Structure formats: C-alpha cells, structure tokens
Amino acid sequence: MCGIIGVTGTGPAVPRLIDSLKRLEYRGYDSAGVAALVDGKIERRRAPGKIRALEEVLVEQPLSSTIGIGHTRWATHGAPTRPNAHPHKAGRVAVVHNGIIENFAELKAELEAVGRVFESQTDTEVVAHMMDAALESGLEPTKALKSVLDRLTGAYALGVLIEGEDELLLGARRGSPLVVGWGEGEMYLGSDALAVGPFTQKISYLEEGDFVAIDRSGARMFDADGQAADRPIVQVSASAAMVEKGNYRHFMEKEIHEQPDSVQHTLAAYLDLAGMKAKPVESVDLAKIGRIQIIACGTAFYAGQIARYAFERLAGLPCDVEIASEFRYREPAVSKDTLAVAVSQSGETADTLASLTWCKRQGLKTAAVVNVHTSSMAREADVLWPTYAGPEIGVASTKAFTAQVAALLSLAVAAASARGRIAPEEEARLVKALFEAPRLIAETLADDSDLRDVAQELAKASDVIFLGRGQMFPLAMEGALKLKEISYIHAEGYAAGELKHGPIALVDEQTPIIALAPLDAVFEKTASNLQEVAARGGPVIMVTPIGAPSPHGTAVWRVSVPDCDPYVAPLVHAIPVQLLAYYTAVQKGTDVDQPRNLAKSVTVE
Ligand code: M6R
C-alpha cells in the first residue's frame, strides 16, 4: 500500500532513500517524502505526486545526511497533499507508516486535550506525537516505542527517526510487513525485500508485533511483549535488475511479454515433463480432502474462479471461490475436510490474509498460491504453492494472473490423478496441453496487429461488454477489470448466456462486445449469443482460435489466437484480453503502470 525505507550508515542516505522509493512506487504514488538528520536536527522534504516531484524539491533544497527515512504514499486518511505526506513530525520525532491506526481519532483527541497541535489529517501523525511525548517523559527510545505500540489499534508498519539519536532508527510491524536489511556498516528498514534490494539481499523478516532498533552496526529485535527476539537473516533474490523496464515502454507491457517464461517456470514446478504427469503434492492429501475453498481479491479471485471449473469437472472436487472481503466477515459454515486456498500475487492483501488466518483458526488446512514467496501469506499458510512470475510492478496484474492459473490448473490435474478420476493417458494429454501453453502464448504475442486495430476502436467507447462461457466467464470479468483499471472505460464481464436476462438492453452501435470463444463444448452456444447481440447492432469482436467458424450470418471482427486444448484456453485467451486493455490505455494516454486511485498491494481493508 505505502512504501517504507530507512537507512542508517556512513554514506549519503538521501540518494539511497530516493533510489528505493522509486522501486517502491508500485505500492503507492499519491505523495512522497523523506526525513533526515542534518546537524542533529530533523529536516523533511515532501511533495504531492510521484517521486520525481520529490526529486525536484530535493534539487532546490538538498539534504545531506547519513541517516533518514522515506515514504511513498497511497492515501487512506487525508487527501494526497504535502501536509498529509509522510514523514510526519512532532517535536524530536519523524514517522513513516504503512497501514491504518484505527483508534487514531480517540488518540488525537487525547493529545489535543494536552495542547498538541496537528498539521495533517492523517492517522499517522498521532504516532509521531505519542512517541515524542513518551521520549519527553524520560523513556529511552525502544521503551518509548513499546509504550506507543501498546496503545495502537490497527495494522501498521512504522519507521521512526529521532533527533539526538544520530545512528538510530526504530521500526515496528503489526499486520503490515517490515524487513530489516543487513549491509556492510549500513543497516536498512524496508516495507519489503524490494525496498532494500538495491543495497542488500540479507534480510530479517520481522514477525507480527515485533519492533526493532537498528544502527550502523546491527539490529536489536523485540517481540510483541518487549522480549529480545532473534529473527534469522535470510538471503533473498530481490535482484535490482529484475525490476527494470528494459526496452519496454511500460512495466505492464514487459510483464505481458514475460508470460511464456513465467507460465513455463510455474508449470515446471508442478508438472513432470519427462514422466508426463503431475508432480505429487506431498504436503496435502488431495485424495482425502472433501472441498476446496478459494479466497482471493481482484484478478486473483478470477484466477480462482477459472480453477473452480478444473477442480470440479476434472477432479470431482467441490470448489467454492469467494471474494476475501466478503468471506472474512460472513462467518461461513466450513467443514473440517475443507482445504482453504488463498490466491494472491503479493501475499499481503489484507482481506485475503485475514481470511486465511480465520480459516486456520477454524482448524482448516491452509495453502497459499502466492508470487512473493517471503510474504505474510506464504509464511502464514500450512502449505506454500508458489507461482514463479517474478516481481510484478505494473499495478494491473498480468503475468501473476497467468502464473496463478497455470499453478491451479496443474494442481487440478494432480488432484484428479490422486483421486483416481483420470487415467494416466488423460493425465499425460493434459500435461502435454499445459506444457504447450508457453509456446501458444508466445505465438499470440508475436502477432498483435489485430489487437492494436481493435484498441483504436475501444478507446472511443464509453462502455464495453466482455462475454464468455465456462472458464471464459471469469476471464471475461478479468478482461473488464483490466480495461477499467488502466483505460478508465466502463466495462462489464458477463456470462454469455446471461446477457438476454437484462444486460442486452445496454447493447447499441456504440457498445463493443468482446466475446471470448475458444473451440470448446459450449462454442456453438456462445456463437448463438453473438448472433443475438449482432442482431441488435452491437459491434462484435470475437477472440477465437484460427480454426473456429464465424457465427452463421453474423458480421464479427475476429481476433485470432492459436488453436489450443480447451483446458489451457484461459492461458492463451488471457493474452489478447491483457493486450486489448494495454493498447487501449496507451491510445488514451493514461498512466498505464500507475493508474489513478490504485495501489499494487492493498494491505488495508
Ligand atoms: O496481491 P493480490 O493478488 O492479493 O492483489 C489482489 C488485487 O488487489 C489485484 O489483483 C488487483 O485487482 C489488480 N490491480 C488487478 O489488476
């Protein structure tokens, strides 16, 4: 949601803070700021907008220091203005924060009653005041921080800089991640491993409720009770090079083009190409579980919905899929033989994480299909089912989505095999089809001229409808989400058969209909639905395999994808869906990688 970085060392800290903030911009980009100790005093530079706005301020008013904290913000409390930008300062203390302090109004009232004056509308500023008051009362810094943390309700990761403490930075986490980075004579705090990736790959992950004091020589860590804690140093591969744009115009474009690799990499983790079978899943007995409950948000939810068809049809395994923000408060009735599966790119989405924790508390076995293997979900779940998409920076999820679908379709084959639902020949056929997907994705990417033409038309529309049946229904909803979030065009995804029950009233000559129509068991039904739409003047764009017939007597604009097995059609059809959104957004000139109002990782409710 927001990005945090802290540096204490001997070299110039502020360029390091800025370098890190640029890498963290994907977490939030409403405003940014840094605070550093200059001649023993806290100096801040803050600016609304992106990091480049902050850089401009620093050119005018440079900061020279060996210690500082930085923040890039996705606004929750208070508009994205300079006064609301972090770091917030009170007396001797500057604070950066990711998360929400739920009881801030009550705390603020208490602080105002004793004469403290606030300069922002944020929840964070109370922490700066409370910390300053605790120091004023004579507590040493870690004790002061503990006394503050004891009064906070909500989710947070915090970084704290204190006047008079020339080498010291404090950090704390509850609900939002925070890492400690270990350098040579330099130490770091970061909201994730990528934050400190340019400086070190040696990381300690703070645990829930932990707080920490770092200085040039190391870290002292404490658990939620204030007892000394030892969190191991792990080596991570947050290679800085992996998050460059290369020759692409946007991260989203680069990530779309990485999908032959990311899908292949993910499939290889779950399928045995030599044996033409699914690798056995040892951590969960897929033959014994009675039900799968998938919980996810946004694009990951649609990946889960696609997987439902596979788990039910292929493996005969009942599968429910629910949006995590609903699931977590619904008090669902769950049976003990249910396997709860959280699906998430970041592994930090607050609602998905809370749902996972809730399932665990009910005594369910839990698994997490996540792309960030060191994330909170990866660590919380009993079983980690990783995807191998690599770092995804574009806010619009693309390669993480197909990696989720690839992993889940592979796991469905494993489940079908473990449950005796498919013969070895059928298992081999499905594994072969899955392993063909990376090549088919590459072929789809290689010829996108039709899509560029279609995007020119979509860019003129105010409303777009996506249609699909079966696994293409969730993909239609994913297509609509992708178009909405980066081009700001209103779009909806419908089950093709449902159109005539209401939405067909929206169809007119100005409303493009994008039909996802693989050559599967329901192809003819989808084709009939397109005739109904075309008869009402709707311009129809049919994304369909080269070998598929056009609906009889109906003018459609065809976008061809390679012929493929229907089982892997979601992976192949996902490419035109993503590229249509991408080219339309480029045509409209929107901020593709950082669309308005969004953030990459939603760690608040
Ligand atoms: O990190 P997660 O996969 O848990 O994120 C879930 C959603 O926030 C995410 O998929 C969101 O919908 C994307 N912006 C879609 O492109």
Side-chain angles (χ1 to χ4, degrees):
M1 186 58 54
C2 303
I4 290 179
I5 177 70
V7 178
T8 173
T10 49
V14 176
R16 282 171 158 352
L17 296 177
I18 295 294
D19 185 7
S20 174
L21 289 181
K22 283 183 183 164
R23 288 160 201 277
L24 287 176
E25 237 183 345
Y26 73 97
R27 294 174 69 99
Y29 37 79
D30 289 340
S31 56
V34 294
L37 281 186
V38 180
D39 298 330
K41 295 281 174 210
I42 291 175
E43 292 260 357
R44 288 182 294 168
R45 303 288 182 265
R46 298 175 297 161
K50 301 204 174 176
I51 308 299
R52 60 178 172 268
L54 175 63
E55 284 183 290
E56 281 163 21
V57 174
L58 281 162
V59 170
E60 295 291 309
Q61 300 167 276
L63 283 179
S64 174
S65 177
T66 55
I67 180 169
I69 52 179
H71 188 267
T72 178
R73 178 170 187 246
W74 186 80
T76 55
H77 291 65
T81 59
R82 184 172 171 280
N84 286 334
H86 299 217
H88 289 286
K89 180 174 180 298
R92 291 171 57 203
V93 175
V95 172
V96 288
H97 166 219
N98 172 30
I100 292 177
I101 308 297
E102 290 171 11
N103 58 339
F104 89 99
E106 167 195 329
L107 295 169
K108 187 171 178 176
E110 262 180 43
L111 289 158
E112 284 176 329
V114 294
R116 288 197 167 255
V117 177
F118 284 74
E119 61 174 35
S120 77
Q121 286 94 46
T122 66
D123 51 339
T124 308
E125 199 181 347
V126 296
V127 181
H129 280 283
M130 289 168 76
M131 186 68 195
D132 184 53
L135 291 168
E136 264 184 1
S137 76
L139 291 174
E140 65 86 22
T142 56
K143 296 243 164 13
L145 180 60
K146 171 81 172 70
S147 73
V148 173
L149 299 178
D150 286 346
R151 296 219 49 212
L152 302 182
T153 308
Y156 51 77
L158 295 166
V160 181
L161 176 71
I162 302 170
E163 274 180 15
E165 300 286 347
D166 292 348
E167 281 191 30
L168 179 74
L169 289 179
L170 300 177
R173 71 151 286 181
R174 183 178 294 280
S176 297
L178 193 72
V179 305
V180 174
W182 298 76
E184 297 295 327
E186 195 161 78
M187 292 289 292
Y188 315 94
L189 290 177
S191 40
D192 59 23
L194 277 180
V196 300
F199 322 126
T200 182
Q201 272 81 59
K202 285 189 191 154
I203 305 288
S204 296
Y205 290 93
L206 294 185
E207 292 187 5
E208 195 61 358
D210 280 359
F211 60 103
V212 64
I214 64 168
D215 59 26
R216 285 172 205 166
S217 58
R220 286 175 294 136
M221 300 182 222
F222 305 89
D223 65 17
D225 297 324
Q227 300 302 312
D230 193 12
R231 307 299 176 215
I233 302 174
V234 294
Q235 186 83 24
V236 297
S237 60
S239 149
M242 285 172 81
V243 290
E244 299 293 349
K245 256 190 289 215
N247 292 329
Y248 291 97
R249 194 163 155 194
H250 298 102
F251 277 111
M252 183 182 179
E253 185 186 21
K254 173 176 176 256
E255 287 158 5
I256 289 173
H257 283 266
E258 284 172 344
Q259 291 177 104
D261 278 351
S262 51
V263 167
Q264 185 164 43
H265 201 163
T266 303
L267 291 172
Y270 294 94
L271 303 175
D272 168 8
L273 182 58
M276 287 308 254
K277 55 183 194 235
K279 290 183 179 170
V281 174
E282 274 147 20
S283 38
V284 180
D285 190 345
L286 292 171
K288 297 257 170 63
I289 55 174
R291 176 170 287 276
I292 290 190
Q293 173 67 62
I294 295 178
I295 334 137
C297 298
T299 288
F301 169 69
Y302 297 133
Q305 284 204 320
I306 288 170
R308 178 164 70 110
Y309 290 85
F311 280 118
E312 297 216 332
R313 185 182 295 158
L314 199 64
L317 191 50
C319 179
D320 293 316
V321 189
E322 190 161 350
I323 294 167
S325 55
E326 287 299 314
F327 181 88
R328 68 181 287 193
Y329 293 115
R330 196 168 62 79
E331 297 183 19
V334 287
S335 52
K336 292 289 176 206
D337 60 352
T338 298
L339 172 70
V341 181
V343 183
S344 172
Q345 188 287 128
S346 60
E348 301 295 349
T349 301
D351 287 318
T352 311
L353 181 59
S355 300
L356 178 68
T357 307
W358 184 88
C359 288
K360 228 176 141 178
R361 263 196 246 117
Q362 305 308 305
L364 303 189
K365 181 101 173 166
T366 57
V369 176
V370 293
N371 197 41
V372 180
H373 307 165
T374 48
S375 60
S376 302
M377 279 179 228
R379 285 176 287 131
E380 172 80 354
D382 299 318
V383 181
L384 168 61
W385 281 332
T387 53
Y388 291 92
E392 189 180 65
I393 305 299
V395 163
S397 187
T398 53
K399 63 175 181 168
F401 169 71
T402 47
Q404 287 158 355
V405 173
L408 290 165
L409 291 182
S410 303
L411 286 161
V413 176
S417 171
R419 298 166 82 82
R421 295 270 305 195
I422 49 172
E425 299 74 38
E426 176 63 356
E427 183 172 355
R429 192 188 68 75
L430 291 165
V431 170
K432 180 168 176 291
L434 282 162
F435 270 120
E436 282 171 356
R439 173 180 54 80
L440 298 172
I441 290 171
E443 283 176 20
T444 313
L445 286 166
D447 181 11
D448 61 2
S449 49
D450 291 354
L451 294 166
R452 289 173 193 261
D453 294 343
V454 174
Q456 300 253 357
E457 293 308 307
L458 292 189
K460 296 177 204 154
S462 321
D463 302 282
V464 175
I465 294 175
F466 285 77
L467 295 180
R469 280 175 178 262
Q471 290 180 315
M472 292 297 124
F473 169 36
L475 189 63
M477 292 191 280
E478 166 62 4
L481 173 65
K482 216 87 299 169
L483 190 68
K484 272 186 266 210
E485 70 177 332
I486 60 168
S487 76
Y488 314 146
I489 294 172
H490 173 244
E492 297 299 338
Y494 288 108
E498 185 65 10
L499 199 69
K500 55 180 147 320
H501 299 287
I504 202 164
L506 297 172
V507 173
D508 62 17
E509 290 78 10
Q510 275 74 51
T511 309
I513 319 289
I514 299 171
L516 309 176
L519 211 39
D520 57 11
V522 288
F523 176 82
E524 290 302 337
K525 311 261 175 223
T526 308
S528 308
N529 298 134
L530 297 188
Q531 284 165 330
E532 292 157 12
V533 171
R536 285 155 182 88
V540 176
I541 298 132
M542 190 174 172
V543 181
T544 198
I546 296 161
S550 291
H552 183 66
T554 305
V556 295
W557 192 342
R558 285 180 69 118
V559 170
S560 294
V561 293
D563 293 327
C564 66
D565 190 295
Y567 195 64
V568 299
L571 292 169
V572 178
H573 282 69
I575 305 304
V577 159
Q578 296 166 351
L579 285 173
L580 275 178
Y582 176 71
Y583 289 133
T584 306
V586 170
Q587 180 73 23
K588 292 200 77 178
T590 56
D591 191 343
V592 171
D593 283 333
Q594 297 178 340
R596 67 187 182 204
N597 304 339
L598 294 176
K600 183 66 184 162
S601 177
V602 184
T603 55
V604 292
E605 289 184 54

